[in-house]
Amino acid sequence: MAENPKKLLLIDDDALVRRSIAVYLADSGFKVFEEADANQLCENIQKYAPDLVLTDLRMPGGDGLQVLKQIKQHQPDLPVIIISGAGSVSDVVQALRLGASDYLVKPVLDIEVLVHAINKALERTELLLENQRYREQLEAANHELRESLRVLERDQLAGKQVQKRLMPNRLITQDHYEVAHYIAPSLFLSGDFVDYAHIKKRYLAFYLADVSGHGSSSAFVTIWLKHLVSRMVREEGLFGDEQSFATGANHLLQTVNREIKETRLNHHLTFFVGVIDTHTQLMNYAVAGHLPMPILKTNDECRYLEGNGKPVGIFKDVTWQTYQMQLPDSYTLSCFSDGVLEILPADTIQEKEALLLQKVAESTGSLESICNTLHVKDDGETPDDIAILTIARGK
């Protein structure tokens, strides 16, 4: 299908010149409309809808500069070429200043020069219009992006509120135990999660989980984890008796591992799970790829707990070793996600762990003191999610 020819409006009072130019331009593939004067310029532009206007400079009842002014006032994007044999240098300067696309001097001996000027003016106008369309599309895309970001921020803020509500409150028991936590997400939502409960007023069960990745998908796994563990406590009596006290940590990790593999959540987790018999101060715990290990601080020492185990959600049919230790009458147990190592000014993991141990030793052992000593802030600028869980017992 042939492309529609460009329409030209030619205004010249010299009929012979006008006709000869019109014929040549028509032969060059343009559709040409002729007018002898500019008395009905606006009506003619509306009538012909030209892509370009060619006008003489000196005509009875008006001149090309007036035509140019009138066109640029009402249709600034419509290109205008002045053709004149009576103009001066000041006319050329004035025409170009008013927005003329070109200024040609009569007689046009080589009509191809005029065709070239017309094509150049049309190309320039098309380029300007295309740029304008791109700008409009870009502005529309930016507007849509801003709206999407606002929706996403609202969604993430709502998700953050949901996640925050699922976090446990500070716990103080009659057995002189105090449990607290602090989460500093690197984004709106955190892939770190903690939970704890004093079950049947005897077994203090707790865990700190670190989900791989960041953002919404990791946060979703933490919400899923909360409901899974709550269901196990409620329906299976997890950590509710002596048998579950002894085997519950391994059972919890096996269940989470199986569920993640079956539901294909495409995430894995590191865990530290512990349960303390508050009547005897005996603690059982299991480690699933967790780093750094919790730190036990007493009046006499400050040291890491021992233990290791595979992460959750990667391997099938895994079992985790249950470690056991007798806790003293007075102590603080501090658990951290690996994000805390990212903010420590040291090079190797061993140096970072040594510095973390030193910082905890310098603190009082309380959650607030540890956060202040490590300069942990919930400002969204941490390189990784940071979770801190403290369990303190005083006499």
Side-chain angles (χ1 to χ4, degrees):
M1 184 179 291
E3 186 178 350
N4 292 331
K6 294 293 184 180
K7 294 180 289 184
L8 309 178
L9 174 57
L10 175 59
I11 307 172
D12 197 317
D13 61 316
D14 189 328
L16 183 61
V17 172
R18 186 179 70 245
R19 188 91 279 275
S20 62
I21 292 176
V23 169
Y24 193 91
L25 292 178
D27 289 341
S28 299
F30 297 105
K31 186 173 184 178
V32 185
F33 303 101
E34 301 176 49
E35 290 292 336
D37 56 57
N39 292 334
Q40 295 181 314
L41 178 64
C42 292
E43 292 84 347
N44 287 331
I45 287 178
Q46 187 173 5
K47 174 182 177 182
Y48 300 128
D51 298 299
L52 181 143
V53 175
L54 291 158
T55 180
D56 190 12
L57 183 64
R58 299 282 182 258
M59 295 178 293
D63 62 46
L65 294 180
Q66 290 297 326
V67 171
L68 181 58
K69 286 180 182 178
Q70 196 170 353
I71 289 175
K72 293 303 175 181
Q73 183 178 358
H74 294 94
Q75 287 186 252
D77 295 328
L78 180 61
V80 179
I81 294 178
I82 304 291
I83 306 176
S84 179
S88 62
V89 173
S90 62
D91 289 330
V92 176
V93 172
Q94 180 72 358
L96 296 176
R97 185 175 296 165
L98 290 172
S101 298
D102 209 337
Y103 191 108
L104 301 178
V105 179
K106 288 181 181 180
V108 181
L109 299 177
D110 186 357
I111 205 71
E112 277 300 321
V113 173
L114 176 59
V115 173
H116 178 73
I118 293 171
N119 286 329
K120 280 293 182 184
L122 291 172
E123 287 174 10
R124 191 182 307 115
T125 301
E126 183 60 33
L127 228 121
L128 291 173
L129 291 174
E130 190 173 345
N131 286 339
Q132 179 63 28
R133 286 194 293 269
Y134 282 151
R135 282 197 298 272
E136 290 172 356
Q137 290 171 1
L138 183 59
E139 288 175 6
N142 285 337
H143 177 73
E144 185 177 346
L145 178 60
R146 286 192 295 269
E147 286 299 313
S148 298
L149 286 174
R150 276 194 284 267
V151 171
L152 180 60
E153 286 177 357
R154 287 197 299 268
D155 290 346
Q156 288 189 326
L157 188 58
K160 185 176 183 179
Q161 293 301 318
V162 170
Q163 196 175 37
K164 189 175 180 180
R165 288 176 180 273
L166 291 175
M167 294 287 183
N169 296 319
R170 185 182 289 255
L171 175 64
I172 300 176
T173 75
Q174 294 179 346
D175 303 311
H176 310 294
Y177 280 91
E178 182 174 354
V179 189
H181 74 277
Y182 187 82
I183 303 286
S186 60
L187 301 172
F188 263 102
L189 302 171
S190 174
D192 290 354
F193 197 77
V194 301
D195 203 4
Y196 43 83
H198 194 203
I199 301 172
K200 295 187 177 179
K201 297 184 179 181
R202 176 168 182 173
Y203 300 106
L204 179 57
F206 60 94
Y207 67 83
L208 188 154
D210 184 353
V211 182
S212 62
H214 301 279
S216 302
S217 62
S218 299
F220 170 78
V221 176
T222 67
I223 295 172
W224 166 84
L225 177 64
K226 167 75 176 186
H227 287 284
L228 174 63
V229 177
S230 297
R231 189 188 72 208
M232 293 178 67
V233 171
R234 183 178 62 254
E235 297 178 2
E236 300 179 19
L238 181 67
F239 300 127
D241 53 35
E242 290 187 12
Q243 181 179 354
S244 187
F245 169 71
T247 62
N250 177 60
H251 175 55
L252 170 60
L253 294 176
Q254 284 187 314
T255 302
V256 175
N257 187 70
R258 184 181 64 253
E259 293 279 344
I260 284 183
K261 298 293 288 183
E262 289 178 355
T263 53
R264 298 181 181 180
L265 292 176
N266 296 320
H267 283 279
H268 66 271
L269 300 83
T270 64
F271 259 98
F272 182 86
V273 184
V275 56
I276 301 171
D277 185 339
T278 59
H279 292 180
T280 64
Q281 318 318 323
L282 186 65
M283 179 173 71
N284 289 331
Y285 64 91
V287 185
H290 189 78
L291 186 75
M293 287 293 290
I295 296 174
L296 180 67
K297 176 180 171 62
T298 67
N299 294 330
D300 302 323
E301 63 175 348
C302 187
R303 65 179 178 87
Y304 284 106
L305 300 187
E306 297 180 353
N308 57 68
K310 294 179 179 179
V312 175
I314 299 178
F315 307 99
K316 290 181 65 176
D317 304 323
V318 187
T319 59
W320 283 267
Q321 180 180 347
T322 299
Y323 296 86
Q324 190 173 86
M325 70 177 300
Q326 184 65 49
L327 296 169
D329 290 335
S330 179
Y331 65 90
T332 300
L333 183 65
S334 306
C335 306
F336 304 89
S337 65
D338 61 357
V340 75
L341 300 177
E342 298 291 331
I343 64 172
L344 294 175
D347 296 326
T348 67
I349 293 295
Q350 292 78 11
E351 291 172 345
K352 289 176 180 289
E353 289 183 322
L355 184 55
L356 177 61
L357 188 65
Q358 177 187 330
K359 293 288 187 181
V360 173
E362 292 172 356
S363 72
T364 64
S366 70
L367 178 67
E368 292 76 12
S369 178
I370 290 174
C371 288
N372 290 334
T373 303
L374 295 174
H375 304 292
V376 176
K377 295 180 181 179
D378 183 7
D379 55 8
E381 297 183 0
T382 57
D384 194 4
D385 300 330
I386 297 175
I388 303 174
L389 169 66
T390 60
I391 301 173
R393 186 178 189 274
K395 294 181 181 180

